[in-house]
Amino acid sequence: MSDRGPAPRETVPPGPLESYLPQFRAYLALERSRSENTVRSYAADVTDLSDWMRENGVDSIDLLDRDALRGWLAQRHQRGLARSSVSRGIAAVHTFFRWAVDTQGLRHDPAAGLRGPRPARHLPDVVGASALATMLDDLADAAFGEHEDEQSAALAARDWALLELLYATGARISELVGLDRAHVDETNHVLTVTGKGDKQRRIPYGDTAGEALAVWDRRRVVLAAPAAGDAVFVGARGARIDPRVARRVVSTALETVPDSSARGPHSLRHSAATHLLDGGADLRSVQELLGHATVATTQIYTHVSVERLKRAYSQAHPRA
């Protein structure tokens, strides 16, 4: 019997781009104010490219050209990645190589002019206005109903306020999770939220959302610990509510809506935008409310409204 231990595991050498990643992550997070998810995703895409370079004998960043990048994209497609993931990879390498040219002495940008598949545009899940009204009324009944203890009553009030405010404003869940009490103008019913790229915008909300917020504000003291700081929405443990908990609250509420596949906070954002346009709001105003950088992003909701109109026409018009 041999007294030698197990053979050492083979160490995979780092790819040619690995050394750039710490600085690139810092650039995305600190200078571009990108979200944690975006930083993680872009770094993963650049790591994937770096691994591809190592496996294909491209041992220097200066040896990359557009054809090599197309080879990497082809491999990602062959691996079965979704078109949205391939498109995100293109965005990641565009950002990475522009940064490398500007700050790392790279002589040329191999991703310049690189294009990928146009991402498929899916119509968002939208909940009907009457169905949403019923769901929100049920949450209000729960908030005003009897409870075993004050904590349960406070959680019911918080959940009602969270859902009402999401639908009333079309805000992102991250924007409401990060909302502080100082940014709620109760007199004028206006929120100041911080969106993507640390851009602030002011969003009005209606009387029902104002009532829900007032009820929650009176009960907030039951849950809030010093760790909550000035957070509007607080979790059961007393700190600012965790985004995952907030998403779960929304998904649980939407599960009660019959004949709907809508799930998660973005469904309320989609619904708010569509109902505003159905009610006659102009596209530019909805763009400002949602915090979209361009009106083109907001235009998807006009397609939702047209599809709904077509269905209603087909069902109702005698000559359809």
Side-chain angles (χ1 to χ4, degrees):
M1 174 182 276
S2 171
D3 59 358
R4 289 181 299 176
R9 300 174 70 177
E10 184 178 354
T11 301
V12 177
L17 306 182
E18 292 287 331
S19 62
Y20 295 94
L21 283 173
Q23 289 178 276
F24 180 57
R25 288 192 186 96
Y27 163 73
L28 291 173
L30 302 178
E31 295 187 36
R32 296 290 298 274
S33 299
R34 294 299 184 93
S35 70
E36 183 180 339
N37 284 340
T38 299
V39 174
R40 183 168 53 249
S41 297
Y42 276 26
D45 288 332
V46 174
T47 299
D48 189 63
L49 172 60
S50 185
D51 291 342
W52 180 91
M53 291 170 63
R54 184 191 65 242
E55 293 164 2
N56 287 272
V58 184
D59 55 10
S60 169
I61 190 173
D62 291 309
L63 297 178
L64 270 178
D65 56 22
R66 197 183 306 169
D67 287 339
L69 289 175
R70 285 173 176 155
W72 169 63
L73 291 174
Q75 187 216 51
R76 284 168 70 86
H77 180 73
Q78 291 166 2
R79 279 156 44 193
L81 270 66
R83 280 202 297 180
S84 58
S85 297
V86 176
S87 296
R88 189 200 64 212
I90 293 172
V93 297
H94 272 299
T95 302
F96 174 78
F97 287 115
R98 282 197 298 267
W99 166 79
V101 168
D102 291 342
T103 68
Q104 305 299 307
L106 184 65
R107 292 191 296 271
H108 75 291
D109 179 356
L114 182 69
R115 295 182 180 180
R118 180 173 294 179
R121 175 161 282 190
H122 300 289
L123 295 181
D125 293 322
V126 173
V127 185
S130 60
L132 268 181
T134 299
M135 181 200 73
L136 292 169
D137 287 345
D138 289 343
L139 289 172
D141 291 342
F144 286 116
E146 294 183 3
H147 296 272
E148 295 180 357
D149 51 52
E150 290 187 354
Q151 184 179 42
S152 298
L155 289 171
R158 181 203 66 187
D159 294 353
W160 177 38
L162 180 65
L163 270 292
E164 284 283 4
L165 210 57
L166 277 171
Y167 178 50
T169 63
R172 301 176 180 91
I173 191 67
S174 59
E175 293 170 345
L176 292 194
V177 166
L179 187 66
D180 287 335
R181 300 169 84 191
H183 294 145
V184 180
D185 182 346
E186 297 177 356
T187 302
N188 296 305
H189 282 193
V190 174
L191 304 180
T192 301
V193 300
T194 302
K196 293 183 177 181
D198 285 337
K199 294 180 180 178
Q200 287 192 331
R201 69 184 189 282
R202 289 166 58 82
I203 316 175
Y205 59 90
D207 291 340
T208 307
E211 180 187 9
L213 267 177
V215 172
W216 159 237
D217 192 54
R218 290 195 296 271
R219 296 182 183 174
R220 179 183 177 276
V221 66
V222 175
L223 297 180
D230 197 35
V232 170
F233 291 106
V234 179
R237 297 183 179 180
R240 185 184 298 272
I241 191 171
D242 187 279
R244 292 170 295 181
V245 174
R247 291 188 182 93
R248 187 162 62 245
V249 167
V250 177
S251 294
T252 299
L254 286 172
E255 286 174 2
T256 67
V257 178
D259 303 322
S260 174
S261 60
R263 293 292 181 270
H266 239 61
S267 292
L268 289 180
R269 182 169 162 85
H270 296 326
S271 300
T274 303
H275 297 164
L276 282 167
L277 290 169
D278 284 347
D282 66 275
L283 202 59
R284 289 287 183 183
S285 296
V286 176
Q287 176 195 352
E288 291 180 16
L289 285 169
L290 298 180
H292 286 158
T294 67
V295 75
T297 308
T298 316
Q299 283 177 325
I300 189 172
Y301 301 110
T302 64
H303 302 316
V304 176
S305 298
V306 169
E307 288 299 319
R308 180 175 297 176
L309 180 61
K310 286 180 178 177
R311 288 196 299 271
Y313 181 88
S314 297
Q315 292 169 4
H317 199 287
R319 305 285 284 183

